[in-house]
Amino acid sequence: MNDMTTLTKPRVETVLKDWETDQEVRWCPGCGDYAILKAVQRTLPQLGADPKNTVFVSGIGCSSRFPYYVESYGFHTIHGRAPAVATGVKLANPELDVWIVTGDGDGLSIGGNHTMHILRRNLDCQILLFNNEIYGLTKGQYSPTSREGTRSPSTPAGSIDHPAKPAAFALGSGARFIARAYDVARQLPDVLTAAYNHKGAAFVEIFQNCIVYNKDVFADFTEKKNADDGQLWLENGRPMLFSKGSKGIALDREALALKVVDVVDGDWAGAGVIVHDVTNRSVAHMLVEMPFGAFPMALGVVYDDPIASFEQAVVAQNAQLAKGKMPDLQKLVGQGQTWTVSAREETDAADAGSAGSGPEL
């Protein structure tokens, strides 16, 4: 693994309660956001994160209430613009830990452009995209990730849109870290930890159950009875096995595509099962594009191959440009075309204004 993934930030000792605010948590009873909030609040002490050095930035939507509930600095910004605000925060103070909380509507519809650019720039931050495949806050309209046929107030006959795939979108935008989990997964804290330790933009898609408008849409792989066959939890350096080790993912070299294979007597190597390499971008693309049903859902850290982050490059460039120069604001303001307005000219302008004005009412 590249050295840039090594956590070098000073640790601060905190407990769960240090990250809880006095605000009443207001989501619908049973909403998956509760589980995600608690997973984040439990993970932050394990990371040694400092509440006074942490900022949560959100846009608009159910997920975007997050900053109210985490005892840290936070911005509840406008629809889709959380990445732009987060970029400003990080550039102003690169030492801050910046988390972005968004949803499939906020981050991929009006905010799709901003999400793309923060990923390609590779700002050092964690982006948590809650994907419930619906607009929950505005009462159940279909979203960019809603499946074809989704019936909603805005698509009563069923959506005919082809849904966006958040992880594939992130990879296509140049993201260097991609992970997936779901709201009540016990592995979610491990995924959050990996994202935090990554130097650069870490994109985490979290499948979230909207109990009111899209209930159990992910049940085919999240429910306990479906988990063995429906989930492929990826671990770097470990074979891609699922269904209690009886099946695995192999590469069809003729078709240049992935396929499911049976594993007999634990001989995964003989079955051709792939060993997960988080730095393999080509396989990462295939993993996030696997059609569910024919394949399990790929979860965990899919891709992790860091490069220098955006704010590092900005700080280095500014330092280079400032080398050998003394800051002089007056000189900067006075350079170029300047002129001096005399006292006589100011008086004449004032008189002309008075003459042209009508009587006071």
Side-chain angles (χ1 to χ4, degrees):
M1 188 70 65
N2 191 303
D3 287 341
M4 284 185 288
T5 61
T6 303
L7 183 62
T8 58
K9 301 169 185 175
R11 293 182 59 86
V12 174
E13 295 298 324
T14 61
V15 296
L16 171 63
K17 287 193 174 296
D18 293 323
W19 296 93
E20 296 178 333
T21 70
D22 60 359
Q23 299 297 300
E24 178 187 359
V25 182
R26 300 184 64 181
W27 286 309
C28 299
C31 175
D33 288 357
Y34 286 98
I36 301 172
L37 173 63
K38 196 58 66 177
V40 170
Q41 290 172 326
R42 286 174 174 160
T43 302
L44 289 166
Q46 298 172 12
L47 300 175
D50 184 354
K52 293 181 289 188
N53 203 45
T54 302
V55 184
F56 279 81
V57 184
S58 67
I60 295 297
C62 296
S63 63
S64 292
R65 299 186 61 81
F66 221 82
Y68 297 106
Y69 308 140
V70 182
E71 189 61 42
S72 67
Y73 291 102
F75 288 88
H76 189 176
T77 70
I78 57 179
H79 208 184
R81 272 64 175 187
V85 175
T87 299
V89 170
K90 189 69 176 181
L91 291 180
N93 186 353
E95 299 303 313
L96 294 174
D97 290 335
V98 177
W99 297 74
I100 297 173
V101 181
T102 185
D104 46 302
D106 181 60
L108 294 179
S109 185
I110 190 170
N113 180 53
H114 293 278
T115 302
M116 176 184 72
H117 291 305
I118 199 170
L119 291 171
R120 71 170 181 82
R121 284 175 175 145
N122 196 38
L123 187 84
D124 184 25
C125 63
Q126 294 73 239
I127 304 166
L128 310 184
L129 187 141
F130 298 9
N131 181 11
N132 56 20
E133 297 188 0
I134 207 75
Y135 277 105
L137 186 66
T138 50
K139 307 301 183 282
Q141 297 86 356
Y142 83 121
S143 83
T145 60
S146 296
R147 303 175 196 188
E148 293 178 48
T150 297
R151 294 182 180 273
S152 75
S154 53
T155 54
S159 171
I160 58 174
D161 277 9
H162 300 300
K165 297 180 180 180
F169 169 85
L171 273 170
S173 298
R176 308 296 301 192
F177 180 100
I178 304 292
R180 291 202 295 202
Y182 58 94
D183 46 17
V184 297
R186 60 179 177 80
Q187 299 92 337
L188 179 55
D190 293 333
V191 171
L192 296 173
T193 299
Y196 181 81
N197 289 340
H198 175 86
K199 185 65 177 176
F203 183 87
V204 182
E205 178 186 7
I206 305 174
F207 298 105
Q208 179 261 336
N209 187 29
C210 178
I211 197 75
V212 175
Y213 297 111
N214 213 13
K215 184 180 179 182
D216 296 333
V217 70
F218 304 117
D220 286 347
F221 69 90
T222 59
E223 283 195 357
K224 188 175 181 180
K225 64 181 181 180
N226 301 322
D228 288 338
D229 291 327
Q231 298 178 16
L232 169 65
W233 282 97
L234 301 162
E235 294 182 61
N236 191 42
R238 303 281 297 176
M240 298 184 191
L241 297 170
F242 66 103
S243 193
K244 297 181 178 179
S246 66
K247 295 181 180 179
I249 302 296
L251 178 64
D252 185 334
R253 298 186 183 279
E254 291 186 6
L256 292 179
L258 299 180
K259 62 181 179 180
V260 174
V261 294
D262 294 320
V263 177
V264 180
D265 296 330
D267 184 14
W268 58 265
V273 174
I274 299 172
V275 173
H276 186 42
D277 176 5
V278 293
T279 66
N280 192 320
R281 191 178 187 86
S282 297
V283 173
H285 272 285
M286 289 190 279
L287 286 168
V288 299
E289 292 281 6
M290 291 192 306
F292 182 74
F295 291 87
M297 181 63 67
L299 301 166
V301 178
V302 180
Y303 181 63
D304 184 359
D305 190 15
I307 58 174
S309 59
F310 180 63
E311 77 288 347
Q312 286 178 308
V314 171
V315 169
Q317 184 183 64
N318 288 345
Q320 180 64 33
L321 293 172
K323 190 178 295 184
K325 299 177 182 178
M326 293 296 293
D328 188 337
L329 181 59
Q330 186 59 48
K331 182 179 178 181
L332 177 64
V333 172
Q335 70 183 5
Q337 291 184 337
T338 62
W339 61 92
T340 301
V341 179
S342 68
R344 177 65 181 172
E345 288 173 322
E346 289 181 346
T347 302
D348 291 345
D351 290 343
S354 298
S357 60
E360 284 191 291
L361 299 178

